[in-house]
Amino acid sequence: MEYSKLIHKDEKHNNYVVVNWCMGNTCNFACSYCPVGLHDGSVPWYDFDDVKRFCVNVIEHYAPKTVYFEFTGGEVTLWKHFIDLCKFLKEKNAKVGLITNGSRTLRYWEELKPFVDHVCTSFHPEFSDEKRYLDFIKFLCNDIKVHANVMMKPEEFDRC
């Protein structure tokens, strides 16, 4: 059997291309269950102009499909150009999602929220505050799609 293209079983998804991109490995958490290489900062952030150029190339290559960029890290919201990138992508009619520990301030999220379609969050019991995390989820969930993951540690089970 020869494959010349990939098509989704659900036809409505054939109009999308998903790019899942790990932007770097700088993180403000250093969870014991997370491999060091995912939070030690050894992979620097990309140059903003290079990222924009790459994204435009992907968008143009797959037109007229919608490109959905999902960004992760480390903690991708720590990249100083992240909000600007999300704004840029929305101007290009791309979809934007991210995977985050949700540790940035609500003021940061208020600025970012109009340029994001989906946020996958993770509660990390070693570093996260339950009330602050729940406030963050409530802040986002009325405006964008939110998915919450809870990282379970046996000794933190009741808290999680």
Side-chain angles (χ1 to χ4, degrees):
M1 179 180 294
E2 184 177 328
Y3 295 99
S4 60
K5 63 181 177 177
L6 296 174
I7 42 181
H8 198 280
K9 183 177 178 181
D10 185 340
E11 287 187 23
K12 71 181 177 189
H13 295 297
N14 286 327
N15 296 322
Y16 292 91
V17 172
V18 178
V19 175
N20 184 287
W21 190 350
C22 181
M23 299 292 289
N25 67 350
T26 297
C27 187
N28 53 331
F29 292 174
C31 301
S32 62
Y33 46 81
C34 185
V36 173
L38 291 179
H39 59 75
D40 69 359
S42 61
V43 177
W45 301 114
Y46 294 99
D47 176 78
F48 185 43
D49 290 330
D50 290 343
V51 171
K52 290 192 310 186
R53 193 169 25 262
F54 173 80
C55 291
V56 167
N57 287 340
V58 170
I59 291 166
E60 290 176 355
H61 178 79
Y62 286 104
K65 293 183 178 192
T66 299
V67 179
Y68 189 110
F69 291 93
E70 181 181 56
F71 299 105
T72 186
E75 176 52 42
V76 72
T77 63
L78 298 177
W79 183 41
K80 67 181 178 179
H81 299 294
F82 190 66
I83 292 175
D84 292 330
L85 174 62
C86 295
K87 288 178 185 178
F88 175 79
L89 291 172
K90 289 314 239 177
E91 291 169 2
K92 300 291 183 191
N93 295 314
K95 300 283 187 188
V96 178
L98 69 143
I99 300 172
T100 178
N101 62 29
S103 60
R104 297 299 298 256
T105 65
L106 290 183
R107 187 176 69 207
Y108 176 90
W109 288 103
E110 189 168 349
E111 185 177 350
L112 179 62
K113 188 167 51 170
F115 310 105
V116 174
D117 298 285
H118 176 254
V119 175
C120 179
T121 70
S122 51
F123 177 82
H124 297 273
E126 291 177 323
F127 294 94
S128 300
D129 172 82
E130 300 96 291
K131 180 183 179 334
R132 190 183 175 292
Y133 182 77
L134 289 173
D135 289 345
F136 158 69
I137 297 285
K138 290 174 188 175
F139 178 76
L140 292 180
C141 72
N142 289 326
D143 300 306
I144 59 177
K145 293 178 185 174
V146 177
H147 179 104
N149 292 326
V150 177
M151 305 310 175
M152 300 298 287
K153 287 188 66 180
E155 60 272 19
E156 298 275 356
F157 186 79
D158 289 340
R159 181 171 166 234
C160 292

